[in-house]
Amino acid sequence: MQSRITKTWIAALTLALLATACSGKEQENAGEPSAAVSPSATAAAAGSASASAEEAVNPLGKYDPPIEMSFGKLIDQSMKFKEGESIENNAWTKLYEEKLGIKVEFDWTVAGTEDQYFQKLNVAVASNNIPDSFMVNAQTLAKLAEAGQIEDLTPVFDKYLTPTTKELYYADGGNALRAATFDGKLMAIPNISSEIDSTSMLWVRTDWLEKLKLPEPKTMDDVYAISEAFAKQDPDGNGKADTYGLGVDKLLWDGFPGLEGFFNGFHAYPNMWVPDASGKLVSGNVQPQMKAALAKLQEMYKAGQIDKEFGIKDSAKVAESLIAGKLGLYYGQPWTPLWPMQDGKNLDPNMEWKAYPLPSVDAEPAKTQSLFPIKQYFVVKKGFKHPEALVKLANIYKSDEVANNQELYSSKDGIAFFKYAVTAGSDPHQNLNAYKKLSAAISAKDPSGLSPSDKAGYDHIQKYLNGDNVSWGNYLVFGPGSSYSIIDQYLTDKRIQYDAFFGAPTPAMTEKTAALNKLQLEAFTKIIMGEAPIDAFDKYVTDFNKLGGEQMTREVNEWYAKQGK
Amino acid sequence: MQHIAPSRKAFLVANYAFLCLLAVSCVLPLVYVLAMSFSSSSAAAGGLVTLWPVGFTTKSYEYILEKPAFSQAFLVTLERVALGTAVNMFLSILTAYPLSKESTQFKPRTFYAWVFVFTILFSGGLIPWYVTIQWTGINDTIWALILPGAVPVFNIILLLNFFRKLPRELEESAFIDGAGHWTTLIRIFVPLSMPAMATIMLLTIVTHWNSWFDGLILMNKPEHYPLSTYLQTIMTQMNLTTLTAEQMEDLANVSDRTAKAAQLFLGALPILLVYPFLQRFFVTGIVMGSVKE
């Protein structure tokens, strides 16, 4: 008996020893990351920052001796490399080292989609094992700023901007920068993206329109008529009732097909904040206009115009219907001709599509909704000695040297070189301008005034005009009468409703958004499918407010009040 | 000619029909993926492919051969399965043997058994798991995929229960003949436990073949991803709600279903082939007649 107890004790002791051995290692190694946030290190960093500020500020100055800067980076599904090149070794890394004296290194890279990047990043952030600089989303940015894991960029940002980058970051009146500002401190450089590229428009199969002798859609009534005819009058002429009216997918809100445009036609603006009559911000989700749009969708579903199984079909599944010639009407974003329409055209060369501006339910023209476009931010780890290096990297991204070098900024042979860069941010009207130049050149049949990259686009579209359908989709996006002509029209007529809230996510948003989205999806899907009466919308409004919507509205208005000042 | 009662006959027919349906429902998805991989890209995107290729082409397979990423990931997985299975089997056998003894023979047995069971019941969570592996410095090496799961407790429990069912007399006679624990383990227990070994080996191989999350989190370069992680990164659909100007170029990939199907099929093939080879070890009654009582 005695010996048994002794042995158990020995075993327990061994384990305890093992545990302490491990934790000993922990302290030893943890010293490294925690030093980064210790006050002395911060003071040193601040000291060096102010010291370098006293030196002549050169926004594109070279570090001598060169500095090392580590990154985490997403290598997305479409990124390719030339023979012998890699993310660590390419024209961009060479440029960074030669021009700026910054040796870019990668602590880690993730292949796949943003979701996978953030999975990896979140683990790294939680274990405080982050690279010197990396890309984050709004939620992670708020978390990092609160935890003091990232460097304040206020002292260096404005000082180091070149005129070109200044124009880029202040083009929207500073809203993008405000979204990256916490307690008056700029904690990140936003990835400037377009607020117009994700607006929605109505897409119609015009060969079906002609066949059924229907007018082009100008009002919502035209839309209902087209939807009904496409569903009931056998537009594909195969004698079977196998076509749908309006395309809807299980998310309801999507790039293809999305219902945003349909709701906008009713002057309802889902998933964003709009000012009400009293000047306060309210959630578009709970406005009475939503109810009218939902009632109509319910009616259309009942009449068999919407796929009975939309509730389980994702974007790719709805795309199948379109490609197979079963769907001829949907609301979607400007890029949808590239996918899935192009695949449909490949199978059936007679397929013709056209984009129309959103029709309205009444005399007032419909405005398309535009969500706040900044989804990504670039940050610098707390304690990194040269926070201005990130600003320099952002500067060189927009420098003439890069813009004039196709091997840096553009793409060739299906390799998009600009994706190798460690920062990003493009002129929000880049695509719109490309459309303007391309369609003018196409109409005039004169490509002489185009830049090399626009010329490449021009040549590609010429293939379609010469009878090869391979670039049909590009023609529908950038050519005359294309999707961007609609966006151009939206801008001229001021028919875009911008999200009125663009601050960092409020506490209630971080906590409740997921639950509220689920509530909305369930309630709306049930109403559209007729499983719940239209009055279920009122219950949804009550639940929305109760489950955090009210708190969100309060926080959003607190933010809104501060913006006026 | 044996007489079979009608009720029995009815049962047999229904039973075989049910089992056939079950088998078909397992095979059909694979046939679908195979047909898809040989179809033209637009036909696949239009959902026109069912069980036979539409617009037959071998383009997807040519594409995979040209692309190093797939074969690279395949090699990593082969390495992982070979090393991982060896380590898992070795440690499982070594752990199961002492734990299969009675407490009278091996006194702290209950204590150790609970230590192992504890790890099944409680998990440290993702972050401690990651941080611990980070400290050991094996991150971004093949060992990061092998060592954290080197002791598969569930497999050990299977094996130790099998060991316990072996006739005690065989072990005793080995000891009488002068064998020590090592000899008994290697020459009596292991050869007699082939069915259990085959089972846990299969479990181990399949686990290593399918794990993708650890590859994503622990590997710092896509070139080091095992096959499942690689497949996961190409299969996930990108978010279409917020597409930037630059991402428009990625749209061509969305309909790249045929290439994805081809890679899925090639990724599943080897693991399917393992089953028939391990099947011959699934024999019962291996110890029958070894002991006379």
Side-chain angles (χ1 to χ4, degrees):
Chain A
M1 192 64 199
Q2 184 63 42
S3 88
R4 179 176 169 180
I5 291 169
T6 326
K7 274 188 187 161
T8 315
W9 269 108
I10 288 171
L13 239 119
T14 321
L15 275 166
L17 263 171
L18 266 168
T20 39
C22 284
S23 61
K25 192 146 176 119
E26 164 187 353
Q27 276 153 12
E28 190 184 308
N29 278 278
E32 202 179 339
S34 70
V37 284
S38 75
S40 65
T42 321
S48 78
S50 61
S52 62
E54 281 156 22
E55 295 160 18
V57 168
N58 182 354
L60 286 168
K62 188 173 175 177
Y63 289 103
D64 193 28
I67 60 163
E68 285 176 4
M69 195 167 178
S70 62
F71 288 82
K73 185 158 169 69
L74 168 69
I75 299 182
D76 72 38
Q77 290 165 324
S78 65
M79 262 167 92
K80 290 179 196 144
F81 296 95
K82 279 203 290 193
E83 192 74 33
E85 292 200 337
S86 67
I87 192 67
E88 289 100 353
N89 170 31
N90 55 57
W92 276 97
T93 53
K94 280 180 203 128
L95 178 86
Y96 289 145
E97 189 166 353
E98 279 165 21
K99 298 289 164 185
L100 297 177
I102 299 175
K103 278 190 191 155
V104 168
E105 282 156 9
F106 293 93
D107 272 4
W108 44 262
T109 48
V110 176
T113 62
E114 255 178 47
D115 289 348
Q116 281 146 347
Y117 172 84
F118 285 120
Q119 269 179 333
K120 173 113 180 167
L121 180 68
N122 287 339
V123 175
V125 167
S127 56
N128 200 9
N129 181 20
I130 50 180
D132 294 334
S133 177
F134 48 97
M135 181 264 284
V136 294
N137 56 12
Q139 284 81 9
T140 317
L141 175 62
K143 213 171 12 171
L144 285 166
E146 197 187 335
Q149 282 173 285
I150 46 176
E151 193 70 47
D152 176 12
L153 299 176
T154 332
V156 293
F157 185 69
D158 282 319
K159 205 177 284 174
Y160 277 88
L161 282 184
T162 59
T164 329
T165 34
K166 192 161 216 148
E167 204 184 304
L168 175 74
Y169 289 111
Y170 285 94
D172 63 350
N175 286 351
L177 293 174
R178 245 166 261 154
T181 305
F182 295 82
D183 297 329
K185 290 180 189 156
L186 181 72
M187 302 308 285
I189 300 185
N191 176 2
I192 302 288
S193 354
S194 175
E195 76 287 2
I196 54 171
D197 281 347
S198 55
T199 50
S200 90
M201 48 199 67
L202 180 65
W203 289 94
V204 185
R205 253 190 92 161
T206 43
D207 55 327
W208 284 5
L209 267 194
E210 273 169 36
K211 194 171 171 191
L212 301 176
K213 306 206 168 41
L214 291 161
E216 297 199 322
K218 295 215 169 49
T219 65
M220 280 312 265
D221 286 330
D222 294 339
V223 176
Y224 310 149
I226 294 172
S227 169
E228 196 193 344
F230 281 6
K232 301 287 168 207
Q233 294 179 23
D234 193 22
D236 57 348
N238 66 355
K240 281 185 237 160
D242 57 354
T243 48
Y244 306 114
L246 184 69
V248 182
D249 78 6
K250 64 174 183 181
L251 299 174
L252 303 182
W253 324 116
D254 210 336
F256 165 86
L259 283 174
E260 289 93 336
F262 187 87
F263 280 78
N264 294 165
F266 285 79
H267 313 299
Y269 305 100
N271 307 325
M272 57 186 262
W273 298 87
V274 285
D276 70 355
S278 68
K280 289 242 178 232
L281 293 187
V282 289
S283 166
N285 285 336
V286 293
Q287 300 311 305
Q289 290 91 337
M290 298 287 289
K291 194 173 173 180
L294 280 170
K296 191 66 208 179
L297 283 170
Q298 190 183 51
E299 196 186 314
M300 291 168 80
Y301 181 88
K302 210 168 163 190
Q305 296 170 23
I306 294 172
D307 189 345
K308 291 275 172 227
E309 291 174 347
F310 84 87
I312 50 162
K313 289 197 170 172
D314 62 5
S315 194
K317 224 44 192 163
V318 181
E320 284 183 5
S321 316
L322 184 148
I323 294 163
K326 308 281 172 224
L327 176 68
L329 179 79
Y330 68 88
Y331 288 90
Q333 294 185 4
W335 45 262
T336 53
L338 301 171
W339 179 87
M341 266 184 227
Q342 180 69 51
D343 279 312
K345 184 80 175 174
N346 295 348
L347 281 186
D348 175 9
N350 296 323
M351 193 182 264
E352 289 300 337
W353 287 85
K354 191 166 184 262
Y356 295 91
L358 298 180
S360 166
V361 76
D362 51 27
E364 191 194 336
K367 286 179 165 184
T368 178
Q369 71 179 67
S370 159
L371 298 183
F372 185 61
I374 314 295
K375 308 282 182 222
Q376 301 179 345
Y377 302 84
F378 299 97
V379 297
V380 175
K381 175 176 158 181
K382 188 94 189 169
F384 182 66
K385 286 205 182 85
H386 305 278
E388 76 284 354
L390 182 64
V391 188
K392 289 186 177 184
L393 291 168
N395 282 336
I396 204 163
Y397 187 78
K398 297 306 287 183
S399 67
D400 290 343
E401 182 171 4
V402 169
N404 294 329
N405 187 342
Q406 209 191 346
E407 298 262 308
L408 286 172
Y409 194 62
S410 188
S411 24
K412 205 170 118 194
D413 305 330
I415 306 178
F417 299 110
F418 59 84
K419 288 190 175 178
Y420 304 165
V422 291
T423 66
S426 50
D427 174 9
H429 288 192
Q430 185 181 327
N431 282 335
L432 182 69
N433 293 336
Y435 147 75
K436 285 181 179 164
K437 285 183 209 145
L438 283 175
S439 60
I442 291 165
S443 305
K445 295 197 168 61
D446 174 21
S448 57
L450 296 175
S451 71
S453 69
D454 286 337
K455 177 72 171 52
Y458 178 85
D459 291 342
H460 192 50
I461 288 182
Q462 281 301 320
K463 284 188 204 153
Y464 164 64
L465 296 172
N466 293 331
D468 185 353
N469 279 337
V470 67
S471 59
W472 174 81
N474 295 66
Y475 183 80
L476 252 64
V477 178
F478 293 112
S482 62
S483 38
Y484 274 94
S485 76
I486 309 280
I487 290 180
D488 198 18
Q489 203 177 324
Y490 282 154
L491 283 171
T492 333
D493 301 345
K494 296 206 181 337
R495 281 177 59 186
I496 299 181
Q497 180 78 39
Y498 298 99
D499 194 346
F501 175 80
F502 45 82
T506 69
M509 282 184 191
T510 335
E511 213 175 301
K512 311 275 168 67
T513 305
L516 286 179
N517 286 347
K518 194 164 167 254
L519 174 77
Q520 183 203 47
L521 183 65
E522 278 177 15
F524 287 12
T525 308
K526 272 188 186 158
I527 292 176
I528 296 172
M529 295 182 75
E531 278 174 29
I534 182 63
D535 287 331
F537 180 76
D538 302 328
K539 177 159 188 303
Y540 160 73
V541 175
T542 324
D543 289 346
F544 176 88
N545 284 326
K546 211 163 49 193
L547 294 174
E550 210 170 341
Q551 191 189 345
M552 249 182 226
T553 313
R554 202 167 51 239
E555 289 168 353
V556 164
N557 276 299
E558 276 165 20
W559 170 88
Y560 193 54
K562 273 190 223 155
Q563 299 305 303
K565 285 169 201 163
Chain B
M1 190 70 196
Q2 211 177 338
H3 178 72
I4 302 170
S7 61
R8 170 88 185 145
K9 221 174 206 168
F11 168 76
L12 281 178
V13 170
N15 202 18
Y16 278 115
F18 173 72
L19 289 176
C20 284
L21 274 178
L22 206 66
V24 166
S25 71
C26 292
V27 174
L28 279 187
L30 274 171
V31 176
Y32 172 68
V33 171
L34 187 62
M36 184 96 100
S37 70
F38 281 112
S39 296
S40 85
S41 153
S42 291
L48 303 176
V49 182
T50 47
L51 296 179
W52 200 250
V54 177
F56 184 87
T57 168
T58 53
K59 240 173 73 188
S60 325
Y61 290 92
E62 285 158 26
Y63 167 78
I64 296 172
L65 285 181
E66 277 172 22
K67 211 172 141 186
F70 181 84
S71 42
Q72 229 168 29
F74 200 89
L75 286 178
V76 173
T77 287
L78 285 185
E79 192 185 354
R80 172 181 189 163
V81 169
L83 275 173
T85 310
V87 168
N88 281 167
M89 292 302 290
F90 180 71
L91 292 177
S92 298
I93 295 169
L94 275 196
T95 319
Y97 179 75
L99 290 184
S100 69
K101 302 291 165 227
E102 295 298 329
S103 293
T104 46
Q105 264 178 296
F106 176 50
K107 295 218 175 75
R109 178 189 172 272
T110 325
F111 174 78
Y112 282 111
W114 276 109
V115 167
F116 284 106
V117 171
F118 183 85
T119 64
I120 295 190
L121 299 178
F122 303 98
S123 146
L126 176 62
I127 306 299
W129 172 79
Y130 174 78
V131 173
T132 311
I133 296 166
Q134 192 83 22
W135 286 336
T136 57
I138 55 173
N139 254 34
D140 207 24
T141 67
I142 188 80
W143 297 106
L145 305 177
I146 293 166
L147 295 183
V151 183
V153 180
F154 179 74
N155 290 354
I156 290 171
I157 292 175
L158 276 185
L159 195 60
L160 87 84
N161 280 322
F162 197 91
F163 281 170
R164 289 191 143 192
K165 288 215 186 80
L166 293 177
R168 289 282 299 276
E169 293 81 355
L170 290 179
E171 187 191 343
E172 280 162 8
S173 62
F175 276 118
I176 289 167
D177 286 346
H181 280 295
W182 283 103
T183 319
T184 323
L185 173 62
I186 293 163
R187 298 184 58 179
I188 307 280
F189 277 78
V190 172
L192 287 180
S193 309
M194 274 312 167
M197 297 282 180
T199 309
I200 66 167
M201 192 153 159
L202 194 64
L203 287 176
T204 312
I205 292 176
V206 173
T207 313
H208 275 297
W209 195 274
N210 287 345
S211 308
W212 64 273
F213 187 72
D214 52 352
L216 181 72
I217 299 294
L218 299 174
M219 291 310 192
N220 290 341
K221 283 180 179 177
E223 299 95 274
H224 297 166
Y225 284 173
L227 191 61
S228 307
T229 311
Y230 167 73
L231 288 176
Q232 173 75 16
T233 64
I234 63 162
M235 298 305 292
T236 322
Q237 201 184 351
M238 57 181 203
N239 182 352
L240 292 175
T241 40
T242 54
L243 210 59
T244 64
E246 280 115 26
Q247 285 173 315
M248 283 198 192
E249 305 217 1
D250 305 353
L251 285 169
N253 279 326
V254 175
S255 62
D256 207 9
R257 278 204 209 173
T258 54
K260 289 176 183 173
Q263 298 181 66
L264 265 190
F265 185 77
L266 288 183
L269 201 57
I271 198 75
L272 283 176
L273 293 179
V274 166
Y275 282 87
F277 283 103
L278 282 180
Q279 198 158 29
R280 67 191 191 91
F281 293 105
F282 292 109
V283 276
T284 47
I286 207 167
V287 290
M288 241 198 291
S290 62
V291 183
K292 269 217 172 85
E293 284 170 33

